[in-house]
Amino acid sequence: MSEQTATEGKTYAPDPELSKTANVRPEMKEQDLREFWDEQAKARLDWFEDYDEVLDWQLPYAKWFVGGKLNACYNCVDRHVEGGKGDKVALHVVPDDGPDSSEARDITYSELQREVVKLANGLKELGVGKGVPVGIYMQMIPEAVVAMLACARLGAPHTVVFGGFSGKAVAERCNDLECKVLITQDEAMRGGKAGAQKTNADEGLDAGPTTVEKVVVVKRSGADIPMSDRDVYLHDLVANVSDDPESCPCEPMDSEDLLFLLYTSGSTGKPKGVVHTTAGYLLGVATTHNLVFDVKDDSVYWCAADVGWITGHSYITYGPLANGVTQVLFEGVPGYPDQEVWWRIIEKYGVSILYTSPTAIRAHMKAGEKHAEAHDLSSIKILGSVGEPINPEAWEWYREHIGGGKAPIMDTWWQTETGHILITPLPGITTLKPGMAQQPFPGVRPEIRDDEGNQVPAETTGNLVLTEPWPGMMRGLYNDDQRFRENYWSKYSDAYFAGDGAKYDADGDIMLMGRIDDVVNVSGHRLSTFEIESALVEHADVAEAAVAAKKDPDTGQAIVAFVSLIADKQGTEELEQALREQVAQSIGKLARPASVIFAHDLPKTRSGKIMRRLLKNIAEGEELGDTSTLVDASVVEEMQKQVNG
Ligand code: 6R9
């Protein structure tokens, strides 16, 4: 954890015009949290049946809006159409080759409704209905959003697996939730290349017994891919079904019915199935989306995250659509077909709110501001950042070159587990400090504590906790109450432990300091060292492996793998490549180690524990400090030589 301070005391006061018109009101921060969320729930969601109680809190399990009935798809789609907004654009669909492509198209709320109804009717024919889980393994195409909404309409829980993950990861997750159907696409179009998608899924599903009985395939590239009896193309599935909303009414769901599981990396063991339920989650994402980004009727919003991550769930699908916003959905990557594609998108659609990650901002910074300067970005009003701490230099660049030197940046801290934004500046209220998430959202109660549970003084790093429940909080880990309690509720008996280090500055603003467990964060994507290590030891030549993260100017963190080999094996460049490939196969490309360090053993204590702190120091090229508890100090020297060249 680095102790550098964020800024040289630079601050940016809110624009008084924005303070006058902002959706968020300063008084909200003073409100009782039940009262605040109750008011929001009545104002923002449509209920089939009212709830009896705002909150039933039995630590560590919360129930929000107890007894209420609603449907997430109804709130995201149908009510907008019924309310006369059917012709409003829901999605500006920008394909991989950019906004000028002949495949660019708009989908209105009415059209979205018809697509969702068709798919939901198709899924019904495959036996999907309330409580029947569905897997989704897709890239950034509108069908991914449609698939999530169709599941929500039917009351079928979904689990979205990031399209860049391996087939093995897909099968593991689908089998864990016992998905009956998997929805995928023929091929992925990213950066001008068609990549395998459906055949990846097949590989994973065919490797062992699976609960998946049917695979629905969206035609994207149109490639001639193998189709078996298990498979059906989406266009065939829906060829003869109705698109009339009345043919497939939105299933009334209990507030606490499962909406989705999203698997995320923990420090040990297999991925954790984070449970999110219907009402609290939907309210949390809708409220934060509206207030943090100051969403107005004519806003054009673009979240450049992927639907496979929680950011895509909360701030592409559920939050923005619940708020009836017009948004951009971009299939591609920054830098293709050219360095200007993002800025052409903003110019063409008049994007007013951009939400992205520090990694993407740094990539643009590296490419140079001339690309942004070639375009009219004056439509931008609010900028957002998420996924990892944003360094002040990137923050300043973002504000200056993308925000026209005036757009406020909302540095939003939250997690898969928290469901929605919890710590963030607020437009028109917060005096901004580059590199800091700063303040709790209304109704959110953070503290920073030392290991004994005392609150730390200013400028001292401690553990970030939340002392009160919030609506979108996870409702446990799927089938693993014990791990849920151990991971999040055992460090302190009375608070949620987030796993992040943080500190207050002299004004009481919060600065996030990074993870304090064995989770690495590459380009804003959470990966567990344990999973990567497990993938490495699957290689026949590897005896033991341990993974650490080092700072990386582009991706935030980069993975360094320390590997000891079985007798007589040599750490060659070929082997390094093979190990990287092994990790790509097992987890996905983004988990590949940036470097592999070979040694005859790993640094261990006498009790046999790998000294991870040392590995981190070695990876960073730092001083090692006390090594007296090591069994064999020569291992460390051998490793340092390789790192320092
Ligand atoms: C939304 C998301 C969560 C972890 C979290 C923290 C890091 C996210 C951050 C941030 C500093 C921010 N993180 N946003 N750190 N400032 N604004 O990213 O969820 O993938 O579960 O990752 O990401 O370490 O604990 P998830």
Side-chain angles (χ1 to χ4, degrees):
M1 215 175 290
S2 85
E3 290 286 332
Q4 99 221 22
T5 43
T7 64
E8 316 81 56
K10 232 171 171 180
T11 60
Y12 296 90
D15 173 356
E17 274 312 300
L18 186 56
S19 307
K20 268 188 243 155
T21 58
N23 298 347
V24 66
R25 308 304 319 151
E27 315 79 82
M28 289 174 171
K29 302 205 70 157
E30 314 307 323
Q31 263 180 298
D32 169 78
L33 72 92
R34 281 178 172 79
E35 183 190 301
F36 171 73
W37 290 116
D38 185 25
E39 257 177 47
Q40 299 298 320
K42 294 200 162 85
R44 292 189 192 282
L45 297 184
D46 274 43
W47 298 85
F48 294 157
E49 275 175 45
D50 288 341
Y51 47 90
D52 316 309
E53 199 188 347
V54 176
L55 170 64
D56 172 7
W57 176 221
Q58 317 271 347
L59 184 146
Y61 289 100
K63 290 188 184 134
W64 283 87
F65 311 113
V66 183
K69 296 261 186 295
L70 77 173
N71 183 285
C73 177
Y74 182 80
N75 276 278
C76 290
V77 183
D78 297 61
R79 64 165 171 168
H80 304 314
V81 178
E82 290 169 14
K85 291 209 294 189
D87 292 336
K88 181 170 180 174
V89 173
L91 301 172
H92 290 301
V93 177
V94 183
D96 184 47
D97 49 348
D100 307 324
S101 160
S102 58
E103 287 179 333
R105 64 192 168 109
D106 289 345
I107 298 177
T108 65
Y109 274 93
S110 292
E111 288 165 338
L112 183 62
Q113 184 184 39
R114 288 199 289 275
E115 293 307 311
V116 170
V117 167
K118 274 199 288 187
L119 178 53
N121 273 326
L123 289 172
K124 273 205 283 196
E125 293 190 357
L126 302 180
V128 176
K130 188 173 179 178
V132 179
V134 173
I136 298 175
Y137 178 51
M138 288 160 100
Q139 304 276 345
M140 290 290 290
I141 56 175
E143 289 85 350
V145 176
V146 169
M148 292 164 84
L149 293 169
C151 289
R153 187 174 197 91
L154 296 170
H158 60 68
T159 190
V160 181
V161 184
F162 172 55
F165 276 163
S166 63
K168 186 175 163 215
V170 177
E172 252 172 36
R173 288 159 175 76
C174 286
N175 292 337
D176 190 57
L177 180 58
E178 298 179 47
C179 293
K180 196 169 161 140
V181 171
L182 173 68
I183 309 174
T184 187
Q185 63 189 89
D186 53 1
E187 288 186 314
M189 300 298 297
R190 306 262 296 168
K193 291 186 216 97
Q197 195 80 36
K198 195 262 178 185
T199 49
N200 282 353
D202 283 344
E203 260 178 53
L205 297 178
D206 293 340
T210 178
T211 59
V212 173
E213 293 165 15
K214 271 283 169 198
V215 176
V216 178
V217 184
V218 175
K219 203 169 212 154
R220 171 60 185 102
S221 72
D224 187 16
I225 51 161
M227 296 284 283
S228 72
D229 289 347
R230 184 171 64 195
D231 307 327
V232 58
Y233 274 112
L234 183 137
H235 57 261
D236 292 330
L237 179 69
V238 302
N240 297 310
V241 302
S242 169
D243 65 1
D244 177 356
E246 290 190 6
S247 70
C248 184
C250 294
E251 187 72 33
M253 302 299 285
D254 188 86
S255 289
E256 286 297 333
D257 276 336
L258 178 61
L259 180 61
F260 65 85
L261 277 198
L262 185 60
Y263 288 85
T264 188
S265 299
S267 48
T268 53
K270 61 182 180 106
K272 307 186 277 196
V274 173
V275 173
H276 283 294
T277 58
T278 306
Y281 172 80
L282 192 64
L283 179 72
V285 297
T287 308
T288 49
H289 178 255
N290 180 282
L291 299 182
V292 173
F293 299 115
D294 200 34
V295 171
K296 308 287 191 205
D297 269 350
D298 61 352
S299 293
V300 180
Y301 167 83
W302 179 18
C303 170
D306 193 287
V307 283
W309 305 110
I310 191 67
T311 306
H313 285 61
S314 302
Y315 297 107
I316 294 177
T317 301
Y318 291 109
L321 295 179
N323 289 333
V325 81
T326 293
Q327 69 177 314
V328 169
L329 187 74
F330 179 39
E331 185 179 28
V333 295
Y336 179 85
D338 53 58
Q339 290 298 343
E340 294 180 13
V341 62
W342 274 40
W343 320 128
R344 287 195 281 123
I345 291 173
I346 292 178
E347 186 169 48
K348 171 168 175 185
Y349 298 105
V351 171
S352 53
I353 304 160
L354 175 65
Y355 191 29
T356 186
S357 66
T359 294
I361 298 162
R362 287 191 293 265
H364 289 303
M365 210 172 139
K366 218 170 168 183
E369 54 263 22
K370 63 174 188 285
H371 304 296
E373 276 163 7
H375 297 276
D376 177 7
L377 308 185
S378 59
S379 55
I380 291 284
K381 292 201 170 100
I382 305 264
L383 296 170
S385 171
V386 61
E388 48 174 318
I390 177 166
N391 49 310
E393 196 193 358
W395 193 102
E396 297 280 1
W397 186 90
Y398 194 27
R399 178 184 165 95
E400 188 58 32
H401 298 289
I402 311 308
K406 60 178 201 302
I409 299 173
M410 303 299 131
D411 176 2
T412 62
W413 178 88
W414 59 293
Q415 309 177 296
T416 306
E417 292 89 338
T418 72
H420 52 83
I421 296 167
L422 295 188
I423 302 180
T424 177
L426 289 167
I429 293 183
T430 313
T431 293
L432 301 176
K433 296 178 182 170
M436 295 178 76
Q438 296 189 279
Q439 289 288 324
F441 188 79
V444 173
R445 308 282 185 259
E447 274 181 16
I448 304 174
R449 296 182 177 177
D450 66 16
D451 286 335
E452 278 70 55
N454 307 307
Q455 291 209 53
V456 298
E459 301 299 347
T460 308
T461 300
N463 303 316
L464 179 66
V465 302
L466 296 150
T467 63
E468 296 287 346
W470 62 97
M473 71 195 295
M474 70 195 295
R475 304 298 198 269
L477 291 174
Y478 191 61
N479 283 340
D480 207 342
D481 173 64
Q482 193 190 342
R483 194 173 174 200
F484 173 54
R485 291 175 188 270
E486 267 165 24
N487 268 228
Y488 305 100
W489 302 94
S490 65
K491 175 119 186 137
Y492 304 105
S493 61
D494 61 338
Y496 170 85
F497 171 57
D500 278 294
K503 65 181 183 186
Y504 293 111
D505 70 5
D507 306 324
D509 281 318
I510 297 172
M511 177 171 183
L512 275 303
M513 307 298 293
R515 297 292 302 183
I516 52 185
D517 57 12
D518 296 324
V519 170
V520 290
N521 192 328
V522 179
S523 302
H525 298 153
R526 244 169 91 171
L527 301 161
S528 97
T529 53
F530 175 84
E531 277 173 275
I532 302 168
E533 288 160 7
S534 309
L536 289 166
V537 295
E538 275 172 30
H539 192 285
D541 292 357
V542 173
E544 270 191 304
V547 159
K550 66 167 182 191
K551 279 194 222 69
D552 184 278
D554 300 322
T555 58
Q557 291 193 317
I559 295 163
V560 182
F562 297 87
V563 170
S564 71
L565 300 173
I566 57 168
D568 306 333
K569 295 293 174 190
Q570 293 300 318
T572 59
E573 223 160 89
E574 291 72 45
L575 182 56
E576 174 163 354
Q577 276 318 316
L579 291 177
R580 286 165 47 83
E581 188 46 35
Q582 173 91 28
V583 175
Q585 283 293 324
S586 181
I587 306 170
K589 281 186 184 159
L590 63 92
R592 278 183 309 200
S595 51
V596 179
I597 309 294
F598 295 103
H600 69 276
D601 196 0
L602 297 177
K604 286 182 194 142
T605 62
R606 271 159 238 282
S607 63
K609 282 216 175 75
I610 296 174
M611 288 187 69
R612 291 177 175 277
R613 175 182 62 78
L614 280 186
L615 293 178
K616 195 151 179 61
N617 294 149
I618 297 169
E620 297 278 17
E622 292 165 354
E623 290 294 315
L624 295 190
D626 183 16
T627 56
S628 59
T629 54
L630 276 182
V631 183
D632 177 1
S634 74
V635 178
V636 172
E637 286 156 27
E638 197 181 332
M639 289 175 164
Q640 278 182 311
K641 263 192 217 132
Q642 290 178 62
V643 172
N644 303 333

